[in-house]
Amino acid sequence: MDQIVQQIAAYRQEIESLEIGSPQQLEEYRIKFLGTKGIVKALFGEMRNVPNEQKKAFGQVLNEFKQFAEAKYEGAKEVADNGPQAADDIDLSLPGDPLVAGSRHPINLVRKRIIDIFHRLGFAVADGPEVEDDWHNFTALNLPEHHPARDMQDTFYISQNPDWLLRTHTSNVQTREMEKGQLPIRIICPGRVYRNETISARAHCFFHQVEGLYIDEHVSFADLKQTLYFFVQELFGKDVKVRFRPSYFPFTEPSAEMDISCLICGGKGCRVCKHSGWVEILGCGMVHPRVLENCGIDANKYTGYAFGMGIERITMLQYGINDLRLFSENDLRFLKQFTGAV
Ligand code: 2U9
């Protein structure tokens, strides 16, 4: 039986490589393989020589081969009868398949709104690398060597080079801009940042920030407060109240966190604001003189302010979203809810 099975495999290859291009070739094929004196019929005749215990398996091989040979015939006959579908067979007057219009991702919606507001205040958008060296992400920013933020637990390092990492904030764009030495500087830096966090409803290993930097002569904390107050009024409406709380960041001195009155309860107290009436929205401060000097700027002549915010956090507040993971799961049931938003 092995010999016949090998023979069938060879016939299969022959059929596969056959090109049937004319009605005459089609008829020749039919006679050779499917005719009353054809190969398929002859193979079925071999059944009587096969031992009883192998008959079932052989029958299966034969049937599959027969179907294969017939399918080749039917396919070639279809082309011979109707010809291959030509371009002019297509009816262009039929309605097309509907194109479903996409929509902006909520993170990009809010990112755009933030950029537009700062644009009106004279801020330009600056961009920089997501794979950064230690200097631009940490050292220049007065983040000392043993600062916990540098720990492997918090930062993704690039294995080929211990000096490279995935930026943990977009501040690297500002340090690079400052090093260019063209003053004044008035920029915002939107972008993706990476932190080695366990993924949960409140944390992810990547998220998006917008940071801002203004450096010139005589820039004061009052300028910072007024700019940020204008920003939140534009974003959340004129009724929003702000408060600044003292804080600490290695790259700013003095430093503060800015809260806004809770958008859900209007400041009365609810679950979102943990019954305080306030929600934290960003961090800010005057650029530390050591950071200015690190980047080649004369700290006796120039001062500057900086601020940073997480876009996910602002988007969650604006739309009442309670799980950070929704932003990166590509679930259309979530994303479609932003169709039409501008
Ligand atoms: C330079 C100098 C100073 C940027 C700043 C913050 C305060 C801040 C956080 C907000 C939420 C990061 O996304 S978040 O976790 N940011 O609180 N960022 S001041 O300060 C700079 C940046 C660059 C050269």
Side-chain angles (χ1 to χ4, degrees):
M1 180 178 130
D2 283 355
Q3 221 180 343
I4 310 177
V5 171
Q6 271 179 17
Q7 181 63 57
I8 291 174
Y11 285 141
R12 255 183 183 269
Q13 275 188 356
E14 184 185 335
I15 293 174
E16 246 165 32
S17 56
L18 259 183
E19 284 191 21
I20 302 172
S22 67
Q24 193 193 332
Q25 285 172 338
L26 182 65
E27 185 56 9
E28 282 167 13
Y29 173 84
R30 191 191 64 76
I31 293 168
K32 179 172 178 186
F33 285 97
L34 304 169
T36 43
K37 292 184 183 159
I39 289 168
V40 170
K41 190 101 183 184
L43 287 170
F44 271 92
E46 292 293 329
M47 185 65 108
R48 62 176 173 269
N49 303 325
V50 174
N52 276 346
E53 66 277 11
Q54 291 182 6
K55 274 197 189 334
K56 193 175 167 203
F58 185 62
Q60 209 171 340
V61 174
L62 276 185
N63 275 324
E64 276 172 17
F65 176 66
K66 184 176 173 224
Q67 281 166 15
F68 178 76
E70 285 172 349
K72 176 82 176 187
Y73 177 77
E74 294 303 331
K77 189 168 180 324
E78 169 80 23
V79 175
D81 290 349
N82 302 324
Q85 191 179 17
D88 57 8
D89 279 356
I90 300 166
D91 183 353
L92 294 175
S93 68
L94 287 172
D97 291 334
L99 273 180
V100 182
S103 54
R104 281 185 205 275
H105 191 283
I107 295 294
N108 280 341
L109 271 176
V110 173
R111 174 183 178 273
K112 183 174 179 298
R113 283 182 205 147
I114 297 170
I115 291 174
D116 286 348
I117 296 168
F118 281 105
H119 198 221
R120 280 187 275 137
L121 290 169
F123 284 76
V125 172
D127 208 355
E130 289 185 13
V131 178
E132 189 50 280
D133 56 43
D134 176 282
W135 170 258
H136 292 99
N137 193 80
F138 287 134
T139 310
L141 285 152
N142 202 29
L143 273 148
E145 206 167 314
H146 300 293
H147 193 282
R150 289 177 161 225
D151 198 278
M152 293 281 281
Q153 300 297 322
D154 293 317
T155 302
F156 291 111
Y157 286 89
I158 307 289
S159 51
Q160 287 108 311
N161 187 334
D163 194 44
W164 292 345
L165 46 92
L166 296 184
R167 68 178 180 191
T168 56
H169 43 200
T170 59
S171 311
N172 67 321
V173 182
Q174 285 106 294
T175 50
R176 286 178 176 276
E177 209 64 34
M178 286 158 73
E179 282 175 346
K180 290 180 190 163
Q182 286 174 334
L183 292 154
I185 294 171
R186 199 191 277 148
I187 51 170
I188 51 165
C189 312
R192 185 174 280 191
V193 302
Y194 302 84
R195 293 186 190 174
N196 193 359
E197 301 262 3
T198 307
I199 297 171
S200 71
R202 313 183 115 254
H204 213 294
C205 55
F206 68 83
F207 64 101
H208 300 79
Q209 285 189 333
V210 176
E211 290 198 342
L213 178 71
Y214 177 32
I215 301 178
D216 202 347
E217 293 180 43
H218 315 300
V219 175
S220 72
F221 202 94
D223 297 325
L224 169 63
K225 284 178 75 174
Q226 199 53 40
T227 303
L228 293 178
Y229 187 36
F230 175 83
F231 163 65
V232 289
Q233 282 196 320
E234 289 297 297
L235 194 62
F236 297 115
K238 295 283 175 214
D239 291 339
V240 73
K241 296 183 186 62
V242 296
R243 73 173 186 187
F244 288 81
R245 286 176 291 106
S247 187
Y248 170 78
F249 305 111
F251 28 83
T252 48
E253 181 60 35
S255 305
E257 261 147 333
M258 188 172 96
D259 298 341
I260 58 167
S261 48
C262 179
L263 301 167
I264 308 293
C265 63
K268 291 189 192 76
C270 68
R271 262 190 23 222
V272 170
C273 61
K274 298 195 188 84
H275 303 282
S276 71
W278 297 97
V279 284
E280 186 189 318
I281 188 135
L282 54 80
C284 58
M286 301 303 292
V287 179
H288 198 295
R290 204 174 295 143
V291 174
L292 292 174
E293 297 287 348
N294 282 345
C295 298
I297 293 173
D298 182 354
N300 291 318
K301 188 170 175 201
Y302 290 99
T303 51
Y305 66 68
F307 53 86
M309 64 191 100
I311 306 182
E312 275 82 350
R313 180 166 173 72
I314 293 181
T315 310
M316 288 168 94
L317 282 173
Q318 262 202 335
Y319 288 105
I321 297 164
N322 59 9
D323 193 325
L324 198 67
R325 291 167 292 197
L326 285 164
F327 292 126
S328 51
E329 281 172 348
N330 276 342
D331 187 336
L332 287 180
R333 289 169 304 177
F334 171 69
L335 296 173
K336 274 184 176 168
Q337 293 178 49
F338 301 90
T339 317
V342 281

